[in-house]
Amino acid sequence: MACSIVQFCSFQDLQAARDFLFPHLREETPVGALRRDRSKSTNWEDDGWGAWEETEPQEPEEEGNTCKTQKTSWLQDCVLSLSPTNDLMVIAREQKAVFLVPKWKYSDKGKEEMQFAVAWSGSLNVEEGECVISALCIPLASQKRSSTGRPDWTCIVLGFTSGSVRFYTENGVLLLAQLLNEDPVLQLKCRTYEIPRHPGVTEQNEELSILYPAAIVTIDGFSLFQSLRACRNQVAKAAASGNENIQPPPLAYKKWGLQDIDTILDHASIGIMTLSPFDQMKTASNIGGFNAAIKNSPPAMSQYITVGSNPFTGFFYALEGSTQPLLSHVALAVASKLTSALFNAASGWLGWKSKHEEEAVQKQKPKVEPATPLAVRFGLPDSRRHGESICLSPCNTLAAVTDDFGRVILLDVARGIAIRMWKGYRGAQIGWIQIVEDLHERVPEKADFSPFGNMQVPSRVAQFLVIYAPRRGILEVWSTQQGPRVGAFNVGKHCRLLYPGYKIMGLNNITSQSWQPQTYQICLVDPVSASVKTVTVPFHLALSDKKSERAKDLHLVKKLSVLLKTKSPNLDLVETEIKELILDIKHPATKKQALESILASERLSFSCIRNITHTLTDALKNQELESVDEGLLQFCANKLKLLHLYESVCQLNSCDFHSGTSFSDNDLAVLLRLDEKELLKLQALLEKYKQENSRTTVWFSDAKDSVLPVKTFLEYLEYEKDGISVKKISEEEYVTLGSFFFWKCLHGESSTEDMCHALELAGLSPQLLLSLLLSVWLSKEKAVLEKSQSVCCLHTMLSLLSRMTVAIDDTWDSQPVSPWWQQMRAACIQSENNGAALLSAHVGHSVAAHISNSVTEKKFPQTASGARAEVEALTDSWEALSLDTEYWRLLLKQLEDCLLLQTLLHSRPGSRPCRPAPLPSEPLPRLSVRKLLEGGKGGIADSVAKWVFKQDLSPMVLKLANQERDAEKPNEPKDLVNRGLIELSEADMDLGTIPDLLRAAYEQFPCSLEPDVLHAHCCWEYVVQWNKDPEEAHFFVRSIEHLKHIANAHVQNGIALMMWNTFLVKRFSAATYLMDKVGKAPKERLCRRDVGMSDTAVTSFLGSCLDLLQTLMEADVSREEMQMPVLDTEDAWLTVEGPVSIVELALEQKHIHYPLVEHHSVLCSVLYAIMRFALKTVKPLSLFDSKGKNAFFKDLTSIQLLPSGEMDPNFISVRQQFLLKVVSAAVQAQHPTTRDRDATEEAPATPFGKDQDWPVLAMDLAHHLQVSEDVVRRHYVGELYNHGVDHLGEEAALQVQDKEVLASQLLVLTGQRLAHALLHTQTRDGMELLARLSPTLCTWLKAMDPQDLQNTEVPIATTAKLVHKVIELLPENHGQYSLALHLLDAVEAVAVPPL
């Protein structure tokens, strides 16, 4: 056992504290921080005099390195203090401070640990420019009798550069403030009460010492304790009422002015000491000379040691009683009670101050008492050496001093001399550890020779010096005074070593005996790992005596560990050496430690370990009974039993054993109690499972399954009382142990009877063996399915285990369910290897039935007499066994269902590979009966839906498989199947075994996989996956396809409403506001920013939303004619528990408000048209009035105030213009011309899936937006003729009501065509024809603008038909009728070329 460094606490967020104290080190603006630092530089050395020497590029790098170093070493620039009870930590810098308290929290690994969290942070300066220079966290004892030993509260004492000392609570509330000297405070130190170890040691009082550059102030601990308690109580009362004011007792303090010393940096208050007569005479001679007189009783003196320069170390002695203590009248720190009279007090205690009171302080400073001069008596003169710090040992006899030469000097406090020096520790931080010997660790043999063996021997105390060297990043532990280094640790270069040197204030010689508080003597704060560590040192490291048996034992243990690591060809020699070493060890605990290391060795053979354990056991038995350690003897005996078991199992596994019996299918049927039909069904089911499972699973060689090293075997098992148990090990390790016992037996290569007998004799319980056997069987599924012989071996093994004495007790017969078989069923239910679980369940059912029949025959023999009583008793017993049998049948049915479902989930289409998922595709979870029972009513459908999504199967595939299942039934129409085959795409034709497996799943789960339920889960799965990656628009399209395949309107309505509320309405509203803001179809950047997807994905999203809203309206209409579906569950799965299924949630949804859904559908159509055709200068919300705008994005089941009545003509005009734009864009997209192909940069991409019939949708929108439908139809006809699609224009013209207006519009179009043919082609024939036309017609044609024509390549014969159509539509009395006749003549003239 060596010294160690142990982490006992960590920081929750240390970086936040660093950022608060060092704002320029924040991660957000490192560059800005560097710039600010450079601008603030006023030192000429920082300006870079060598800038012209091509070193300028290196300056930012050097500053960056400096900043990086400061980010890790920032703790070195802070004032740090930790309470010895670990209740509070203070980190301060300049005017700011952070108070941290420990809290129990869970770490990232899930373990509960203590973490420091920020309790308070803020600025502490009262006077301008003052900074914190020293800090203490002093825990104060509780005065209650029922105290548990923890401190009542912790006081924070801070010293400032202004000379003030202030006391705070843990919450940052100022209790007291004191100005005892006008110079800056250099150091604060505290001493608490310690029980004297020996009667001759002087009892030390508690005190707080404050060091100034030329003075030391010591405050009596008792008066400080009482004052702090009173002030804290008064603060609490003032916060509650503000009326009470209790004057606390005054503080007693002494102030010494240190003389004859140049500089002081640190000090140590040793306390009261009493000189021996010799030392008294020596001191009197040195001071008064040869004739000096001495008193009869040596005087008591307070000793102080300072470090600095000239002298390097100064020793001061203040005689007790030479000066009277000063009384400081304490003023309470309550702002409402402070008055100007407070500052007239002699001590000048300050508290909370308002602005007016701060001005009063500046006007009248408190009175500062003069110091009593105290000259240095002697010192260690060294003019070149400057002391930096001093640390007093816990027993006040030694002190360690650091200096600027990198030395650590050990001082003898009583003699005033240096007794030891360490070199090479520049900037060292030091502390002490005091260890008390545990009397129980002493060797028991020594006490027998002492005549006072029964008396209480006082514990010995050892002191160790801890030195932390930051430049080397090493922490060392040294034994004092002249002892060796006993420990060294690499801890990093940026840590802080904290040594409080005190414990709890407020204890005395009575209360300290009952208190045993846990305090940390020394702590190391590591800012890199954000942890707090402490050093533990065993007492025996201080024993330098060569005869120390503990040290000798540790030496032997180290020698043994080295021997175990070496490679030696002569194992017999190594074994002999190890035996000698372990027998030489005296201490029982150390001997046990040595044996454990031997048992854990990987280099030693089994025979060597066994022989060593035997030797040690025999040696212990041969010792005297009184000196034998019973625990060690029992430990050895237990390990020997485990080694004997290991040897027996290895011998059985190594035997050449082969069962010569052959195994046929008929034998398997008899063994499992199945008929031929049931066996064939089981084999077919397992064969399908093996085929599909082999595609997705990687198997490894299991040649070494029956081999287990003895080291691992001993780590897995332990001996408790009279039996062997397995330790808490992982599932893989559990299977490894089971394979070591049973794998050879399951393969028929080892004797099953001998193995069971050996394990039973060793003390392993049947329940443990059954658990190990099943873990092996269920984890080695591939091997056991390939070899049918394993089923017979499992049957034999299970029968033998069931016949063990404590496996199936006789008292269990009267119980409804046997715990033995319940354990086996529980293992099968939890297993994810369903093939192996189904086989083991058949074997278990067979063995259970055989045992129950044999038990029945034993209890009720068939005799002629008493037949009636036997029949009644047999009936009662059969009732008890029938429930167990039903559990087996239920389990077999559940495992068959789970196996079939797992086979389906492992299947894939034959030729096409699985669609590469854009997201990190999560593998489908392996199923177990337990998972299905805990997955709720929708768990089965949810699993299949995840598989459908992974394979990206069309809804028609699911529908077709269900129709084929129905077609197999009589009286079912077969034309549905043929129609479904036509609708399947080519990609879905070659599906391999998927249709057959789907049909089998439908038959196995007629309720859980009912078509509507499955489509609902598939719909939800696709929309969930789309929500994870909205760019994959086809996921949403697939979801809508599944939604449309739901036949029941109630389910369809609920699913659609849930999809809208959960995933769509938020994105839909974002798209609406974005398009209304930009006034056109937004580009990709804006779409990604506001909607979270690209512009192409937004287009598809809006189209799918329109489909969903239309489906929702259709479902609302048809749901009135349908009944609510009844959600049934298969008989084998009635006990399912878990979350509510999607279908149940859908049926709980409220009825929608149809007009509100229709209102959203209109908006969705408008948005879809804008994105589909990239329309510009369109604000979608401008098409609706205030009522319509307010109704958008509200709950679709709520009743909103919608627009009604006549609409404002301005809205009608805007809507009409929008619809005409949509119709024009739709015709242009459906019939692109040459001009359209030239300008394709603005054309939107064709959406995923089937596009809308936009002319019909425009007519429908016109109806809802109160726009004349005939205007839209006329515009549609005109656009068709404009694009040269005259045959479609003739069909569309039949639906126009106002034929006359249409004819006028077409007449203009005809004129544009003829003008282009005559005026813009510039041919000779055309010019001659133009000359023959009437002047009226020529003037009219010249006024036409052919630029408006979208298609100028229309044949003239087609235009002639158009003119005939115009003449038919125009009445004869129309003003343009004659113009139409002239136009007809001109067209015919153009059509007939001149001879």
Side-chain angles (χ1 to χ4, degrees):
M1 194 168 68
C3 61
S4 60
I5 185 167
V6 182
Q7 175 180 334
F8 67 90
C9 197
S10 61
F11 289 94
Q12 185 177 351
D13 190 2
L14 188 59
Q15 186 176 354
R18 186 202 69 183
D19 293 343
F20 174 72
L21 298 173
F22 296 84
H24 63 282
L25 294 181
R26 291 181 180 171
E27 297 291 341
E28 293 81 9
T29 58
V31 178
L34 289 175
R35 289 175 180 171
R36 286 194 299 271
D37 290 343
R38 293 183 62 184
S39 63
K40 290 180 182 180
S41 177
T42 59
N43 192 350
W44 60 270
E45 294 179 355
D46 298 333
D47 294 336
W49 278 58
W52 58 82
E53 296 178 358
E54 299 181 356
T55 59
E56 186 174 357
Q58 296 180 2
E59 289 185 3
E61 184 179 356
E62 292 175 359
E63 292 183 2
N65 292 337
T66 303
C67 185
K68 184 177 180 181
T69 304
Q70 194 175 6
K71 284 184 179 180
T72 54
S73 63
W74 62 274
L75 207 60
Q76 305 292 341
D77 302 329
C78 296
V79 176
L80 203 62
S81 178
L82 176 64
S83 169
T85 56
N86 195 36
D87 288 337
L88 184 70
M89 179 182 288
V90 173
I91 307 176
R93 176 179 177 266
E94 295 180 351
Q95 297 89 7
K96 297 179 180 180
V98 178
F99 297 171
L100 301 102
V101 295
K103 296 180 180 179
W104 286 101
K105 292 190 177 182
Y106 285 97
S107 63
D108 298 337
K109 299 180 180 179
K111 295 182 179 180
E112 192 177 18
E113 66 177 14
M114 191 183 296
Q115 296 182 356
F116 274 112
V118 177
W120 181 89
S121 61
S123 297
L124 298 172
N125 60 316
V126 176
E127 301 179 13
E128 185 177 357
E130 66 174 357
C131 301
V132 178
I133 203 168
S134 183
L136 284 181
C137 297
I138 305 178
L140 301 181
S142 174
Q143 299 295 301
K144 299 177 181 179
R145 293 185 177 181
S146 60
S147 177
T148 58
R150 299 297 297 170
D152 187 16
W153 62 289
T154 302
C155 178
I156 298 100
V157 188
L158 298 177
F160 292 83
T161 53
S162 61
S164 297
V165 179
R166 301 190 182 101
F167 299 79
Y168 298 85
T169 65
E170 304 99 323
N171 301 323
V173 178
L174 178 62
L175 292 177
L176 301 173
Q178 173 79 355
L179 184 63
L180 296 173
N181 199 18
E182 294 182 350
D183 295 328
V185 175
L186 296 183
Q187 193 64 260
L188 297 173
K189 291 197 175 181
C190 179
R191 183 174 67 241
T192 54
Y193 180 80
E194 288 284 342
I195 300 177
R197 290 186 54 239
H198 305 291
V201 177
T202 306
E203 190 175 63
Q204 302 296 334
N205 297 325
E206 295 181 323
E207 69 172 17
L208 172 67
S209 60
I210 308 167
L211 178 65
Y212 294 95
I216 287 182
V217 175
T218 58
I219 301 176
D220 180 62
F222 178 76
S223 61
L224 177 63
F225 177 75
Q226 297 298 333
S227 298
L228 290 176
R229 287 186 62 245
C231 291
R232 185 169 179 266
N233 294 337
Q234 181 60 26
V235 168
K237 293 177 181 178
S241 62
N243 296 326
E244 299 183 14
N245 186 4
I246 302 176
Q247 184 67 28
L251 282 179
Y253 71 95
K254 297 179 181 180
K255 184 175 181 181
W256 304 98
L258 306 180
Q259 298 178 347
D260 302 329
I261 190 167
D262 286 356
T263 58
I264 303 176
L265 295 181
D266 199 358
H267 79 292
S269 177
I270 312 301
I272 300 175
M273 59 175 295
T274 304
L275 296 177
S276 64
F278 176 79
D279 290 336
Q280 182 186 8
M281 289 186 286
K282 182 185 70 173
T283 304
S285 300
N286 290 333
I287 296 176
F290 180 77
N291 297 319
I294 62 170
K295 296 181 180 180
N296 294 330
S297 59
M301 295 179 292
S302 295
Q303 183 181 6
Y304 305 99
I305 302 177
T306 63
V307 293
S309 61
N310 292 325
F312 157 65
T313 304
F315 290 80
F316 297 84
Y317 296 88
L319 290 175
E320 288 296 313
S322 60
T323 179
Q324 292 298 322
L326 303 173
L327 293 181
S328 171
H329 299 282
V330 180
L332 297 175
V334 182
S336 60
K337 304 300 179 182
L338 288 177
T339 60
S340 58
L342 170 67
F343 304 102
N344 296 326
S347 62
W349 283 90
L350 308 178
W352 299 334
K353 295 183 286 295
S354 64
K355 186 175 181 181
H356 171 71
E357 291 162 349
E358 289 180 1
E359 296 176 356
V361 174
Q362 295 175 0
K363 294 178 182 178
Q364 182 179 359
K365 289 187 177 181
K367 181 181 178 183
V368 177
E369 298 289 344
T372 303
L374 185 63
V376 61
R377 179 169 296 182
F378 64 91
L380 299 181
D382 193 336
S383 58
R384 297 178 56 212
R385 190 184 304 272
H386 296 267
E388 293 180 346
S389 65
I390 182 171
C391 187
L392 186 64
S393 67
C395 63
N396 291 2
T397 58
L398 300 174
V401 179
T402 62
D403 59 26
D404 59 345
F405 287 169
R407 269 61 165 170
V408 176
I409 301 174
L410 188 64
L411 299 180
D412 187 326
V413 172
R415 293 188 293 168
I417 60 173
I419 58 177
R420 191 172 184 181
M421 178 183 289
W422 290 268
K423 297 182 180 181
Y425 294 91
R426 191 172 297 275
Q429 302 170 24
I430 50 180
W432 291 88
I433 295 180
Q434 180 172 280
I435 305 298
V436 181
E437 180 190 20
D438 187 0
L439 295 177
H440 298 287
E441 292 185 355
R442 292 195 179 181
V443 182
E445 289 82 0
K446 284 190 174 183
D448 297 337
F449 299 100
S450 175
F452 307 102
N454 297 327
M455 297 179 61
Q456 182 67 32
V457 180
S459 299
R460 293 178 291 180
V461 175
Q463 296 186 91
F464 298 89
L465 179 63
V466 181
I467 306 176
Y468 169 57
R471 298 199 175 191
R472 291 188 289 160
I474 189 171
L475 184 76
E476 297 179 347
V477 183
W478 292 82
S479 177
T480 56
Q481 299 180 12
Q482 303 297 332
R485 188 178 75 172
V486 298
F489 309 95
N490 290 318
V491 294
K493 299 183 179 182
H494 309 293
C495 304
R496 282 289 297 272
L497 186 67
L498 302 180
Y499 172 67
Y502 57 91
K503 293 183 180 178
I504 299 178
M505 179 175 283
L507 298 180
N508 52 41
N509 58 348
I510 299 177
T511 56
S512 60
Q513 294 179 359
S514 59
W515 274 48
Q516 296 295 331
Q518 182 183 4
T519 57
Y520 294 94
Q521 298 186 56
I522 199 162
C523 297
L524 187 76
V525 181
D526 187 357
V528 178
S529 62
S531 61
V532 184
K533 305 172 183 177
T534 187
V535 180
T536 59
V537 184
F539 176 81
H540 65 81
L541 293 180
L543 302 176
S544 60
D545 186 5
K546 295 182 179 180
K547 296 183 180 179
S548 171
E549 294 189 359
R550 173 59 67 88
K552 181 181 177 182
D553 285 353
L554 290 176
H555 175 71
L556 293 176
V557 169
K558 289 181 181 179
K559 189 175 180 181
L560 176 63
S561 62
V562 172
L563 187 61
L564 292 175
K565 293 177 183 178
T566 56
K567 295 182 180 179
S568 175
N570 192 348
L571 291 179
D572 294 337
L573 184 60
V574 173
E575 178 182 338
T576 305
E577 228 177 309
I578 292 176
K579 288 179 182 179
E580 293 176 355
L581 288 175
I582 198 169
L583 291 178
D584 287 342
I585 296 176
K586 302 298 182 183
H587 230 278
T590 313
K591 192 169 291 191
K592 181 180 178 182
Q593 179 185 352
L595 181 59
E596 288 175 347
S597 63
I598 293 171
L599 296 175
S601 174
E602 297 179 352
R603 300 185 184 278
L604 298 181
S605 63
F606 166 75
S607 60
C608 181
I609 294 176
R610 181 193 56 194
N611 295 338
I612 293 171
T613 311
H614 264 298
T615 303
L616 179 58
T617 306
D618 295 340
L620 290 174
K621 290 181 179 178
N622 293 331
Q623 290 181 4
E624 296 182 5
L625 194 60
E626 297 178 355
S627 61
V628 173
D629 187 274
E630 292 294 335
L632 178 60
L633 184 61
Q634 187 64 40
F635 179 78
C636 296
N638 294 342
K639 294 301 179 183
L640 278 178
K641 292 177 182 178
L642 292 178
L643 291 173
H644 177 69
L645 172 62
Y646 180 82
E647 184 179 17
S648 302
V649 174
C650 288
Q651 289 176 356
L652 290 173
N653 287 335
S654 61
C655 292
D656 189 9
F657 178 86
H658 294 284
S659 57
T661 58
S662 59
F663 197 71
S664 62
D665 288 349
N666 189 26
D667 297 333
L668 182 61
V670 173
L671 192 67
L672 299 181
R673 295 174 175 260
L674 300 175
D675 56 25
E676 184 178 357
K677 183 178 180 182
E678 292 172 340
L679 181 62
L680 290 176
K681 179 183 176 182
L682 176 63
Q683 289 176 336
L685 191 62
L686 291 174
E687 189 62 32
K688 285 183 181 179
Y689 175 73
K690 284 193 294 184
Q691 291 176 359
E692 300 297 339
N693 200 24
S694 60
R695 299 182 186 179
T696 58
T697 309
V698 179
W699 300 93
F700 299 95
S701 174
D702 48 15
K704 296 184 178 180
D705 281 332
S706 60
V707 179
L708 186 68
V710 61
K711 166 184 174 293
T712 310
F713 180 81
L714 295 175
E715 288 176 353
Y716 290 171
L717 296 177
E718 62 182 352
Y719 208 97
E720 290 183 351
K721 297 180 180 178
D722 295 331
I724 297 177
S725 62
V726 180
K727 299 178 182 178
K728 290 184 179 180
I729 55 179
S730 64
E731 185 65 30
E732 293 79 8
E733 294 170 336
Y734 203 79
V735 173
T736 304
L737 181 61
S739 301
F740 176 65
F741 287 148
F742 300 118
W743 187 243
K744 288 280 189 179
C745 298
L746 291 176
H747 273 260
E749 300 174 3
S750 179
S751 173
T752 306
E753 292 82 358
D754 295 343
M755 182 65 71
C756 288
H757 182 66
L759 295 175
E760 185 180 10
L761 287 180
L764 279 85
S765 65
Q767 288 77 15
L768 176 59
L769 295 176
L770 177 62
S771 178
L772 289 169
L773 175 64
L774 292 176
S775 68
V776 177
W777 178 269
L778 296 175
S779 63
K780 309 289 183 182
E781 184 181 54
K782 178 178 173 59
V784 299
L785 291 181
E786 291 292 339
K787 192 174 182 180
S788 59
Q789 178 77 22
S790 301
V791 180
C792 178
C793 297
L794 177 65
H795 189 281
T796 306
M797 180 73 69
L798 193 58
S799 301
L800 291 172
L801 293 180
S802 303
R803 289 187 174 89
M804 285 187 181
T805 53
V806 291
I808 302 180
D809 195 61
D810 294 339
T811 57
W812 289 354
D813 292 344
S814 60
Q815 297 182 9
V817 180
S818 167
W820 173 260
W821 299 120
Q822 186 63 27
Q823 178 187 353
M824 184 173 182
R825 287 193 294 267
C828 296
I829 286 174
Q830 294 174 1
S831 174
E832 296 178 354
N833 297 318
N834 299 287
L838 180 61
L839 275 179
S840 63
H842 274 289
V843 173
H845 183 210
S846 173
V847 175
H850 178 74
I851 291 178
S852 63
N853 292 340
S854 61
V855 170
T856 305
E857 291 175 0
K858 288 180 181 179
K859 286 196 172 185
F860 309 104
Q862 298 296 324
T863 55
S865 62
R868 188 187 196 100
E870 291 173 5
V871 169
E872 292 177 359
L874 184 60
T875 303
D876 295 337
S877 176
W878 180 251
E879 287 176 357
L881 294 171
S882 63
L883 184 58
D884 214 18
T885 306
E886 286 301 317
Y887 274 119
W888 278 116
R889 291 175 181 171
L890 175 63
L891 175 63
L892 291 173
K893 180 65 172 67
Q894 290 174 339
L895 285 172
E896 285 182 10
D897 294 350
C898 191
L899 184 68
L900 179 63
L901 195 60
Q902 186 71 71
T903 307
L904 174 66
L905 299 188
H906 281 159
S907 62
R908 288 195 306 225
S911 60
R912 82 174 169 164
C914 182
R915 168 183 53 79
L919 297 170
S921 180
E922 298 179 1
L924 292 175
R926 293 185 61 84
L927 300 179
S928 67
V929 176
R930 172 71 65 196
K931 288 183 179 179
L932 293 182
L933 289 174
E934 294 176 352
K937 289 187 176 181
I940 297 173
D942 185 62
S943 302
V944 177
K946 285 180 168 53
W947 169 76
V948 170
F949 167 76
K950 192 174 182 64
Q951 307 301 332
D952 197 21
L953 297 179
S954 168
M956 287 304 302
V957 175
L958 307 180
K959 185 177 180 181
L960 181 62
N962 190 51
Q963 289 174 352
E964 289 180 354
R965 183 197 62 160
D966 295 338
E968 293 176 0
K969 302 177 183 178
N971 303 327
E972 291 288 342
K974 308 247 176 131
D975 56 340
L976 294 174
V977 178
N978 299 328
R979 196 185 312 158
L981 287 171
I982 297 174
E983 296 179 8
L984 278 179
S985 63
E986 294 182 2
D988 293 327
M989 291 301 291
D990 187 12
L991 296 174
T993 60
I994 284 182
D996 297 334
L997 291 173
L998 271 175
R999 283 195 298 273
Y1002 286 144
E1003 293 174 0
Q1004 205 81 4
F1005 299 98
C1007 301
S1008 298
L1009 294 182
E1010 196 268 335
D1012 282 355
V1013 174
L1014 182 56
H1015 281 302
H1017 280 272
C1018 290
C1019 170
W1020 192 259
E1021 178 65 24
Y1022 268 104
V1023 76
V1024 166
Q1025 296 296 334
W1026 167 82
N1027 187 58
K1028 293 180 180 178
D1029 186 6
E1031 290 299 317
E1032 299 296 328
H1034 57 284
F1035 288 174
F1036 195 11
V1037 175
R1038 276 278 199 227
S1039 178
I1040 300 299
E1041 291 177 8
H1042 281 285
L1043 179 66
K1044 292 180 178 179
H1045 276 79
I1046 298 176
N1048 190 282
H1050 295 275
V1051 179
Q1052 195 178 46
N1053 174 83
I1055 293 291
L1057 187 59
M1058 290 164 58
M1059 289 171 60
W1060 175 263
N1061 292 332
T1062 307
F1063 302 108
L1064 306 182
V1065 65
K1066 188 175 179 180
R1067 295 184 188 271
F1068 183 71
S1069 63
T1072 304
Y1073 291 129
L1074 175 62
M1075 295 165 66
D1076 192 69
K1077 180 180 179 181
V1078 299
K1080 61 178 181 179
K1083 298 298 182 183
E1084 182 176 6
R1085 182 182 65 83
L1086 293 176
C1087 289
R1088 289 190 183 279
R1089 185 193 68 183
D1090 289 10
V1091 191
M1093 60 184 89
S1094 65
D1095 51 346
T1096 308
V1098 169
T1099 305
S1100 177
F1101 164 70
L1102 293 172
S1104 299
C1105 284
L1106 182 59
D1107 290 342
L1108 181 135
L1109 291 172
Q1110 291 174 349
T1111 305
L1112 192 57
M1113 290 188 289
E1114 294 171 4
D1116 187 65
V1117 173
S1118 57
R1119 68 186 291 178
E1120 303 295 336
E1121 303 173 0
M1122 294 186 182
Q1123 294 182 351
M1124 290 280 286
V1126 179
L1127 301 178
D1128 292 329
T1129 307
E1130 292 81 10
D1131 294 340
W1133 302 96
L1134 290 176
T1135 58
V1136 292
E1137 296 177 353
V1140 182
S1141 68
I1142 294 295
V1143 180
E1144 290 176 326
L1145 290 174
L1147 296 178
E1148 294 174 359
Q1149 302 300 311
K1150 298 179 182 178
H1151 290 264
I1152 63 168
H1153 184 46
Y1154 188 91
L1156 183 59
V1157 179
E1158 191 176 42
H1159 187 55
H1160 281 81
S1161 176
V1162 172
L1163 175 63
C1164 190
S1165 302
V1166 171
L1167 299 178
Y1168 186 30
I1170 294 174
M1171 292 298 299
R1172 173 67 181 85
F1173 303 116
L1175 301 181
K1176 297 181 178 179
T1177 64
V1178 179
K1179 289 182 176 292
L1181 293 181
S1182 65
L1183 305 179
F1184 302 92
D1185 58 4
S1186 59
K1187 291 183 181 178
K1189 293 177 183 178
N1190 293 334
F1192 285 133
F1193 320 125
K1194 298 293 174 51
D1195 187 4
L1196 297 183
T1197 61
S1198 62
I1199 299 177
Q1200 302 292 330
L1201 187 61
L1202 297 173
S1204 60
E1206 294 295 329
M1207 185 61 63
D1208 188 354
N1210 294 328
F1211 281 105
I1212 301 293
S1213 175
V1214 175
R1215 292 174 175 180
Q1216 180 174 313
Q1217 292 177 9
F1218 169 73
L1219 290 178
L1220 298 185
K1221 280 186 180 180
V1222 172
V1223 170
S1224 300
V1227 174
Q1228 181 178 346
Q1230 292 175 357
H1231 310 287
T1233 60
T1234 306
R1235 180 184 301 179
D1236 298 332
R1237 296 189 189 98
D1238 294 339
T1240 56
E1241 65 275 0
E1242 296 272 332
T1246 305
F1248 185 89
K1250 186 179 178 182
D1251 201 5
Q1252 294 281 345
D1253 189 354
W1254 285 103
V1256 176
L1257 184 59
M1259 305 304 169
D1260 189 42
L1261 281 176
H1263 171 70
H1264 291 294
L1265 296 175
Q1266 299 184 12
V1267 177
S1268 173
E1269 299 178 32
D1270 203 52
V1271 173
V1272 180
R1273 289 195 185 95
R1274 290 200 304 268
H1275 184 74
Y1276 176 51
V1277 173
E1279 286 295 321
L1280 289 175
Y1281 279 107
N1282 195 8
H1283 283 77
V1285 198
D1286 290 23
H1287 62 285
L1288 295 179
E1290 291 179 11
E1291 296 177 5
L1294 299 176
Q1295 299 181 0
V1296 177
Q1297 297 179 359
D1298 195 343
K1299 310 288 187 183
E1300 188 175 339
V1301 178
L1302 176 63
S1304 300
Q1305 295 175 350
L1306 296 180
L1307 186 63
V1308 174
L1309 185 66
T1310 308
Q1312 292 173 346
R1313 289 184 181 180
L1314 192 58
H1316 180 271
L1318 297 178
L1319 301 176
H1320 291 270
T1321 54
Q1322 299 292 329
T1323 62
R1324 181 180 178 183
D1325 297 338
M1327 299 305 293
E1328 292 178 358
L1329 179 60
L1330 186 63
R1332 295 198 300 270
L1333 295 179
S1334 63
T1336 305
L1337 185 59
C1338 285
T1339 304
W1340 185 74
L1341 286 176
K1342 291 178 181 179
M1344 295 293 104
D1345 186 9
Q1347 297 292 335
D1348 296 337
L1349 285 176
Q1350 298 294 329
N1351 189 356
T1352 57
E1353 300 176 359
V1354 181
I1356 197 68
T1358 306
T1359 306
K1361 290 183 181 180
L1362 177 58
V1363 177
H1364 281 288
K1365 184 69 175 176
V1366 171
I1367 294 176
E1368 289 178 9
L1369 296 177
L1370 280 176
E1372 294 182 0
N1373 57 356
H1374 196 274
Q1376 294 178 328
Y1377 188 78
S1378 59
L1379 182 62
L1381 293 176
H1382 289 299
L1383 195 60
L1384 179 61
D1385 295 339
V1387 170
E1388 290 177 351
V1390 175
V1392 179
L1395 298 174

